[in-house]
Amino acid sequence: MARELAVNETEQESTTDGDNDGLLLGRRSYLQMAGAAAAAAATGAGASGVASAAVSESNYSNVVNIAEAGADTSGNQTINSVLEDHLQDNTLVKFPQGTYKLAPLSESGLNNFAMVAPNGATITPDHSGEETLIYLSNAQGVHIEGFDVEQPGSTSSRVVFKATSGTNVLKSWRLLDRQDADSEVGGAFLQCAGSDTVLTLEDIDFSKGGLGMGVWVRPTIVGDYPDVGEVPELDPAGTLNFINCNISGWDHEGLYASAHSGPVNVIGGRYGNNNIQQIRTGGPKAVVKGAEVVCDDRDQTPRDRNARGIWMKEGNEMLIEDCDIIMSDVGASSGAIVHGTEGGKMTIRNTRIQVDDDVKAVKSRSPKDWPFRAVSMDTAPSSRRLIMENVSVTGTASDDEAILIYGRDGSELRNLCVEQNGSSQNGIKINGSSNVSLLDSTINVTGQATVFNSSDVSTANVSGSDSCPAPQFDDQPVEYDGGNSGGNSGGYNNESDLSNYLEASGEGSYAFAAAGEIANGGQANLQSEDSIESQTASGSVVNGGTDSYGFEGQLNALDADDGVTVRVNGEAVNVTDFPSVSRPNVVTVSGDDGLASYEFTVDGELDVGPASAGTFNEEDNIHGATAEGAVAGGADAYSFSGSITQFRFTEGTATVLVNGQEVDPSEFGSDDGSTDDGSTDDGSADDGSTDDGSTDDGSADDGRGETGGEEDVERDPDHPHLLVINGPDNGVTNYAVAVTGDIKHTEIVGTTDSEDEVNGNKASGAVAGGIDAYLFSGSITQFNLSGSASVDLKKDYQQE
């Protein structure tokens, strides 16, 4: 009867086209980023245990050597009769090295059972006309490990693994041949039901590919699949882990796990040259971490049906982290990373993307209105925004934009580095999105740096030239500790909607500041002495108690008494690595060749800086709001509030950084403090003026002709950079810009109107079907825009 069920279920596994729903029918800062490892310590599955733990004989009442029990080890005779005698609860069946012929095997309800080949063994299938080699239903703590599996001819050696409780594992399972079965059944069919159940695939090698789908996960829906637009009824689902797997060369889809309504962790591994997508996931707090994703041979997917890299199709609180993605020979593709229309809030951080084909590096699609059918979701996501931190985009893509964001209000982009040299390639395009921030980023492209259509975007510290870190594949496994290394769903329980998690425990007071929103983390026993004010939180803990918070962006400042331990995303942090909350800015004087002596003054508080930024030695002194010191090949660091009002070198020169951004110290003002210090903007929104709702196709030519006259701009070495704001055909776009140096209008490119104003290091104005242009020195510290406009930044435009 069990085999009949397997066949019946197989008959239902046809799919719609991948561009539709694809459901089964009938059911560090930029500097930190540059040095980030491609495969970092991994996020895990939570408190359910280490799914990939080694098998211990002490965990089983019966231990059987199958060869000693009479199984043939030469591959000439099937072993089913011997194996089936030992398919019992609390039993470990060990396979010595050899070749074992196995006919289709089906079993339901096994509890605490394992079959392992400690030194490796080979399975040669005797299929008898069936497509599933092993069918396990109602599995309750089943562990299979250590087998190479043949797929001769057009046969299939698929595994069906349906877990309902306990920790279940399929590990070191390698398909030796390509699967060319006519029915496209795929390598594995999974289901994980029950909130405490864990199902892990680790070190799975499906790299020979096939006509079908590498891995497909069936959701825990009640009854049949709902019609389009209906919200499904779901049974509780467990945790799925894919650890260091290789799923490549599948002509239908690679890893299809988006329909699972429990946590999904994709940790490490290689996913390449699959049709439709390499990794398709979603659900609550889905994680893709340390994965290598590559599309460099379109011949492996001859049907050429939209070979995405990572597709976060649906769900909420999704995370892509420490991944390396290369899209060099793709054909049709929506992008290296696609944020699906059913997807809620998604974070991409510490990730490197190279695109050499004419596709997008990141595409965040306009979200659907609830209700809609997404079979991993039965409630609307609480947030739909996109968070990008420490993301690099490189390559030779052309005639497109590197990053496209539609309708994602409240999105935050910080520490991005975009460097693409293909012709007419734009940087970042944002359509129909309000309250978006773009901070501390480099955009070095041949087309427009930014295109904002019907959007409110606040920018600060965006430069126009630099090189960016490229992906690096090391083919090394990612360490997995079963969920104790932090991340979205492992090692802690962050009940806020925010990406990061901070715990303060012990005895004493603490305070911290973050780049984005702060909220109660859910595990905190916040009392009257604990408070959250915008992007700062403070409080105290006693008798070993714990307060916890969720927060967005990076941790900018931290204070804590000696008796308080602070953990961020599960890892203890050193207070001396951060500036104080009362002095959130950091100035670093980094020595070049020879001795450099300096002095500077601020209009706020001044103290020693964090140890991670520099030192404070005997030649350095602080007198109130003034500091003096010297460097010779090292770095001095100070923390301060307010602004730097004066900076001068009394001997030699050195590099000066304010909040990680290089500044020209000669551009700081005199003692009246009138000049901006170049510190990082807080990312607040713009003036909120109403945009005109117009749209732009993002191309370099917007119908008004060339920006005009740029080659004739006067040479002015004191103002080497050019900023061009190209307004919409209809309506008005307002803007404001601040720089660390000086700024002035140039009428060679644009026009000067009554609403345009320059005041010191700031300029503001409006464009309506025309162009405004400015020459400036230093770097941009703030840029706010309300409406639709193309913004082109050309750093060192006039330099030889």
Side-chain angles (χ1 to χ4, degrees), residues 294-310:
V294 59
C295 289
D296 61 357
D297 185 1
R298 70 177 70 183
D299 291 340
Q300 292 194 41
T301 55
R303 286 186 286 186
D304 202 18
R305 283 167 36 192
N306 199 350
R308 305 167 183 88
I310 300 173

Side-chain angles (χ1 to χ4, degrees), residues 273-337:
N273 295 312
N274 301 292
N275 227 332
I276 310 302
Q277 83 289 318
Q278 315 316 303
I279 299 172
R280 171 173 172 164
T281 186
K285 297 187 177 181
V287 172
V288 181
K289 182 163 184 172
E292 297 178 354
V293 177
V294 59
C295 289
D296 61 357
D297 185 1
R298 70 177 70 183
D299 291 340
Q300 292 194 41
T301 55
R303 286 186 286 186
D304 202 18
R305 283 167 36 192
N306 199 350
R308 305 167 183 88
I310 300 173
W311 185 10
M312 289 294 202
K313 184 182 181 297
E314 56 191 73
N316 196 28
E317 292 296 317
M318 303 172 291
L319 171 66
I320 298 171
E321 183 173 25
D322 294 325
C323 291
D324 289 275
I325 305 171
I326 295 178
M327 310 284 281
S328 59
D329 185 21
V330 188
S333 175
S334 296
I337 294 176

